[in-house]
Amino acid sequence: MKKSLALLSFLALGATLLAAEAPSREEINKSIAKGLAYLEKQQQPDGSFANPENKAPSQDHPALTAMPLMAFQRDPAGAKKTALLQKGYSFIRGKAQPDGGIYSSGLSNYNTSVCLMALLSSGDPKDEPLITKARAFVAGQQASNMLKPEANGGFGYGPTGTSPKRQHPDLDNTIIALEALHEYRLRRPATELAKDKDLDFKAAIDFISRCQNLPATNPLPGANGDAANKGGFVYYPGYSNAGEEKLPDGRTALRSYGSMSYAGLLSFIYADLDKSDQRVVAALDWLSKNYTLEENPAMGRQGIFYYYNLATRGLKAAGVNELTTAKGQKVDWRAEISRKIISLQNADGSWVNDQARWMEKDPVLVTTYCVMALENILAK
């Protein structure tokens, strides 16, 4: 009997260890290939990529086409889909506006930032005028002289007329804008960059700081310094999608949540804040203590695939190879996130969330998030 129990325990341990093994590079490449094959089937005759259930948003938001294009460009297998890429880039170029932005009916800053990143990878010299104008458009969206001064330095969805209901800067748009401008800087010689002095990095860092629950660097009354929230981030100064809570001293404080905390970490890095700064250190501390792949921390399954995507980008950019959880466990995040993402892939190669918030019932968007996350993991 004892031998049987010992054997069962040994087998159970072996199964646990086997399940904990990192997916091989071949397995990750296979998952990426299946995801890209699914995306390829969703490209429309006009070059856009569309949710098979609802094609309208792809026309309104060229970013939904730009993201799949980037996923194909970054394919580690190097299988260039020339015709697919040409059609997709042609669609994006057709959305260029006289003001330099690349958008259709709204969310002009977000769409332009994502399209700018895609065009930077096109390799086509004729895109240079579009790229230059798009870069100037995005940099020009940095907020200043706002009625609420805590909003200065950030980026929102776009100016009046292109995003009339969303005028305030927020951390999600700030990370997208800063990432696009960062990609632009990486691909330009220093002599050319010397002419681009239209971005106020200090103001951007100050805005990001006002989105962080860190009273030492955030003077706003909602900054939450309790153990559960310290170091994490909210959507914009004074507001969190994760809600608020009453502190023991009677103050109302904002709750940190996962996806925006990775967005905050990345924003600091793209704004060239030193990685040894207490704000970066505190962000990584919150992310380590709240590490989980079962939810977008404090948001449940809402936005969980965006969370996975941001996690791979944030931890890679921060140079983190291993996380230490609140229980002291060492985590190989590349192994765990790749294994989790692969386990959630559907038979047709797609991924999709059962929660609709932030468009995560769109399999094209979510599949793109997952493919790019796996590509980030392989690109060490």
Side-chain angles (χ1 to χ4, degrees), residues 327-368:
K327 295 181 179 180
Q329 297 172 319
K330 301 290 185 180
V331 173
D332 179 347
W333 62 267
R334 287 184 174 88
E336 290 208 353
I337 295 178
S338 58
R339 185 169 58 247
K340 183 67 174 179
I341 289 176
I342 291 172
S343 75
L344 296 173
Q345 190 169 25
N346 296 316
D348 65 357
S350 70
W351 287 267
V352 70
N353 198 343
D354 56 2
Q355 300 291 310
R357 195 171 189 183
W358 299 310
M359 294 182 66
E360 288 211 353
K361 277 199 171 182
D362 180 347
V364 171
L365 175 63
V366 173
T367 300
T368 304

Side-chain angles (χ1 to χ4, degrees), residues 99-175:
D99 60 8
I102 304 173
Y103 58 91
S104 181
S105 61
L107 312 188
S108 54
N109 174 60
Y110 185 92
N111 279 288
T112 304
S113 295
V114 179
C115 289
L116 171 57
M117 287 189 278
L119 288 171
L120 283 166
S121 300
S122 77
D124 193 329
K126 73 181 179 185
D127 286 332
E128 285 303 311
L130 280 180
I131 288 170
T132 300
K133 290 179 181 178
R135 185 241 164 250
F137 178 87
V138 173
Q141 301 312 305
Q142 187 174 25
S144 61
N145 301 314
M146 299 288 285
L147 289 176
K148 292 184 177 181
E150 63 269 25
N152 289 333
F155 295 77
Y157 277 103
T160 302
T162 64
S163 300
K165 295 182 179 179
R166 307 188 186 199
Q167 291 301 297
H168 57 76
D170 61 72
L171 191 52
D172 200 26
N173 276 280
T174 297
I175 173 55

